[in-house]
Amino acid sequence: MSVLGTWLSPRPASGSTGLRSRILLGVVCAGYSIGAAVGWGSPELARFMGDFGLAAAALTAAVSCFLYARASARRLRPAWLLFSVSSLMAACGNAVWGWYEVVLGVPVPSPSAADAFFLCFAPPAIVGLLVLAKRPVTRAGWVCLALDAWLIGGSLLTLAWSLALAHTAHMAGVEEASVGPAALSLAYPLLDIVLVSMVLALHFRRSGANRSAVNTAIAALALTVLSDAVFTSPLLRSTYHSGQLLDAGWFAGSLLLAYAPWGVRRTPGADRPGPPRTTSRPIAGSLAALTPYLAAAVCTLGILYNVVEGRRVDRVVVLTGCTVVLALVVRQGIMLLDNISLTQELAQKENHFRSLVQGSSDVIMIAAPSGTLRYVSPAAAGVYGREAEDLVGAELSSIIHPDDLGRVVHEVRRFLAAPPHEEPTTRIECRFRSGAGDWLHVESTVNRHQGGLLLNSRDVTERVRLQAQLQHNAEHDPLTDLPNRALFTARVRQALGGRRSSDPGTAVLFIDLDGFKAVNDTIGHQAGDELLIQAARRLQESVRAGDTAARLGGDEFAALIMGDGTRDQGAREYQVHEIAERLRLTLSQPYRIGASEVRVAASIGVAFAEPGISPTDLMRNADLAMYRAKAGGKDRVELYAPQMQADVVRRSELATRLRTALREGEFALLHQPVVHLASGSVAAVAAQARWRSAQGILFTPAEFLRVTGDDDRTAELGRWLLEEAVKQAADRARAGHPVAVSVRLTATRLVDKALPFGSIEALLTRHGLPSGALMIEVADSDPRVPFDELEQRLVALRRLGVRIALDGFGSGFAAINALRRLPIDVLKLDRNLVEGVVESARLHKITSGLLRIACDLGLQSVADGVDVPEQVLALRAMGCTHGQGMAFSGPLDEYRLRRALVRGQFPVPGVPGPRPVMAGGSIPLLTGSHTETPVPPT
């Protein structure tokens, strides 16, 4: 049985197997028909094929339906089991019939057991059809189903009774004089009429589950009923014998029923319960609606036949006709009530959806396949500023922006060409013309509608504007509205990668405003913002139309200068340099900020595009050139040179090495004696840091700090220098060599919050060094350092007993102001004055005047960089009290320093002059200037 089911069922993946099954079915049926038509060659074979051949076909159908029932869904299983029982009854009836005719060789008695089996064929098939039918969901549906079945069955009964059944019933009653044979004669046609009625009534109500198998099963039952109808006709009934051509109809019906569940391709998941698929079946719907009228027409034909033949109308015909008419009236009444209910429901739904459409803020439009607008919702007046009536009949293309029309048409064509199940909707954004004549940004959801388009549109103009504003804000500086760094980088990338990528005239300018921080510190940040706005306006107006000006952040600006195609390197450098100079002069002009006039300068770095250079590298080169311009004196233009990158690499490497040296203790502390010019005694020592490189070379702070330019490393080195100088001075004092030590600190370092007021006092206390043994030299006078804070810090140190020296006196513009405000104890003459005091009469007079000022103020004086005896003589003659330099000693390590302290003094050339203001003793002094005296490795 399993093998049979497998043979009948084609594999879903192979269409050729199903075709072979259908061909085989047709060949078997055709062979049986041909054999029956020619009488099978002998009466015995004809009786055998007519009886046991039909039994075998019916048994095949029973087994096939049973196997399918076991494999099918639970809801369809009873139907196919009933079909299996029905086919089994037909097989048993044909087997009994063959037993009489073939085995026993006697005529089949009437009635016989075969008649009982044949009569049991129709009821299971009828119930099976009811199970397969789509069940009504309402009581009215069940009533209509029963009425439809009776309309068909009653009309067929009327026609059949008029044509043959009445005569058959009359003859059976006269000849047999028995109720049994008469009932048997009428049972076959009546059951066939009922079966045909159910087939026709349920044909339009069958379930969507495995519809092809159901259709094939209905066709098989219809073929069987047709053969029964021919068999029961009076003309054939009397002359029928087994093996005739009529048997081919029963044979084909049985094999077709066996083939139905297996041989027809099924949709995957069709047997699973679920909502039926909705398909468009206008012809089937029309036939279903005409069924009552066709039944009434058939009933009328039956009555007319009796009238035309002049027969008396039989009571069965009258009764059946009346019930058919009554059923038709009742059914039409139910349909009328159902139509009224459906009409009301449809009207309610239409009003509901109309309210939704008219109340929606979106505009709903329906466009015909030609592009003409057939419907526009009233929301168009509020969205587009145009009445819906004015838009109806217009072409959709007439309200779309011409620049967007091509893109919209292309998208619509692509959408309509795509399969609906793959892309049910699409979204299009374009510009629509409003009633005021301007263009609105509209986003539309597009659906298919009767070959045309259904558009659900909304105004997104504000959203587009907001996106554009957000995009602008993301790419522009909020203060000056110039392009920011991100947009400027994108413009540079575009210039280097576009059609001008090989143009060597393209250049990037980095611009920094010199002195801008002083503007913020003196007149406020609001004034600084106004200065930046004016500077941005000047920059924007100074560049050419195709160039780009940008603000990178703070007081840094940039400009992208596009090349003009020239290949002359000198010409392009001259042209760009001229543009940069013009920008420098423009930005350096006075700025009117409120009632004040502010001046700043501009340092500009220029880098030219080279083949294969990246935007990052080009901008980096311009940045390096700009910093070179600032380091070279500011307010100037500097062109990038490859050496600048090499310097950066060298400074980076040296900075890394310096960090390692600080971490691993590679710095050494040296001290240079400060000698009394009158007696040669050591009055103090100046602490100086040295860095011993891997090659054994000692670098001075002026050398390695100038190279690194690292403020963090400078601060860390300053902390180490102060800590180590105080520690070693305390150790020397405990060893019997009390001498003051001077430590040089920058003004920036002194006001740094990382050096609290009490840190120096705590340092002196921790190492046990008296405060009078420490002197702080204030190095340089950075204009950015708040003078009030510096004064407060020095006053606090002076109260502790720490002495204060002013380093580099005579070299800065702020020296007089420092003398006036700062608590100074010692003036330290700048090395540049001391070096030329012998050769230059002008420097001699300047130095002499400065020393007289120190003497008049009661301050001690130290000359830095005293390297030759002539300088000693000259300075002592001018009244300088102390000197520091190679004329006495270079920087000494701790061992040599203690030996010098034991000796107590250095030889002083010349004859001692007048008694100095500060004679002998220890004085707190500070280290040398930026150019400390170098010493060879020790």
Side-chain angles (χ1 to χ4, degrees), residues 343-623:
T343 302
Q344 292 176 350
E345 183 179 357
L346 181 61
Q348 291 177 357
K349 290 184 178 181
E350 183 179 357
N351 292 333
H352 174 69
F353 285 108
R354 186 180 297 275
S355 300
L356 289 178
V357 171
Q358 294 181 351
S360 175
S361 59
D362 294 349
V363 180
I364 299 175
M365 300 183 295
I366 299 177
S370 61
T372 304
L373 294 175
R374 296 188 304 188
Y375 173 80
V376 179
S377 65
V383 177
Y384 300 153
R386 304 175 66 176
E387 296 296 332
E389 294 79 5
D390 298 338
L391 292 174
V392 174
E395 293 291 334
L396 181 61
S397 59
S398 63
I399 62 175
I400 298 178
H401 196 283
D403 295 342
D404 300 339
L405 184 59
R407 175 173 53 84
V408 173
V409 171
H410 179 270
E411 175 62 20
V412 169
R413 288 177 178 174
R414 186 203 60 79
F415 170 67
L416 294 177
H421 63 278
E422 293 182 2
E423 190 174 4
T425 63
T426 188
R427 182 166 296 179
I428 297 176
E429 186 170 332
C430 60
R431 286 167 289 180
F432 277 9
R433 186 188 299 275
S434 68
D438 54 349
W439 296 98
L440 303 176
H441 290 270
V442 176
E443 182 185 64
S444 301
T445 302
V446 183
N447 295 270
R448 299 173 180 85
H449 179 73
Q450 298 179 359
L453 299 175
L454 174 64
L455 298 95
N456 189 351
S457 305
R458 63 199 62 85
D459 183 11
V460 294
T461 304
E462 289 301 321
R463 188 196 71 186
V464 172
R465 290 175 180 172
L466 179 59
Q467 289 177 343
Q469 183 63 40
L470 292 176
Q471 183 69 21
H472 180 85
N473 293 343
E475 295 179 341
H476 289 77
D477 176 58
L479 179 64
T480 63
D481 203 39
L482 289 179
N484 59 13
R485 183 182 293 272
L487 181 56
F488 183 76
T489 304
R491 296 273 179 87
V492 173
R493 182 178 295 107
Q494 182 180 2
L496 296 181
R499 60 185 180 87
R500 293 186 174 183
S501 58
S502 59
D503 188 352
T506 302
V508 170
L509 280 62
F510 267 41
I511 307 165
D512 185 83
L513 300 182
D514 304 322
F516 174 75
K517 187 177 185 304
V519 175
N520 279 340
D521 295 338
T522 53
I523 60 178
H525 289 274
Q526 185 174 359
D529 291 344
E530 179 61 27
L531 188 148
L532 291 176
I533 294 174
Q534 294 185 25
R537 188 182 304 117
R538 294 183 185 183
L539 180 61
Q540 184 69 42
E541 294 173 352
S542 300
V543 297
R544 302 172 303 179
D547 300 334
T548 300
R551 182 191 178 203
L552 304 183
D555 60 340
E556 290 189 359
F557 294 86
L560 173 63
I561 308 299
M562 302 300 296
D564 56 3
T566 180
R567 297 290 178 176
D568 187 357
Q569 181 177 0
R572 69 185 177 99
E573 290 186 359
Y574 175 79
Q575 182 183 17
V576 174
H577 193 276
E578 186 180 32
I579 295 174
E581 283 290 345
R582 185 171 67 248
L583 290 177
R584 184 187 65 80
L585 294 175
T586 302
L587 296 175
S588 300
Q589 296 297 320
Y591 294 86
R592 175 62 62 178
I593 309 296
S596 304
E597 187 177 89
V598 180
R599 288 180 177 269
V600 293
S603 296
I604 302 178
V606 181
F608 289 94
E610 301 294 340
I613 193 170
S614 66
T616 303
D617 291 342
L618 181 59
M619 296 173 64
R620 180 206 61 199
N621 294 345
D623 197 19

Side-chain angles (χ1 to χ4, degrees), residues 88 114 387 439 444 494 542 587 661 667 682 703 720 763 831:
L88 183 62
E387 296 296 332
W439 296 98
S444 301
Q494 182 180 2
S542 300
L587 296 175
F667 278 89
V682 179
E703 292 170 335
W720 176 87
L763 179 63
R831 173 182 289 270

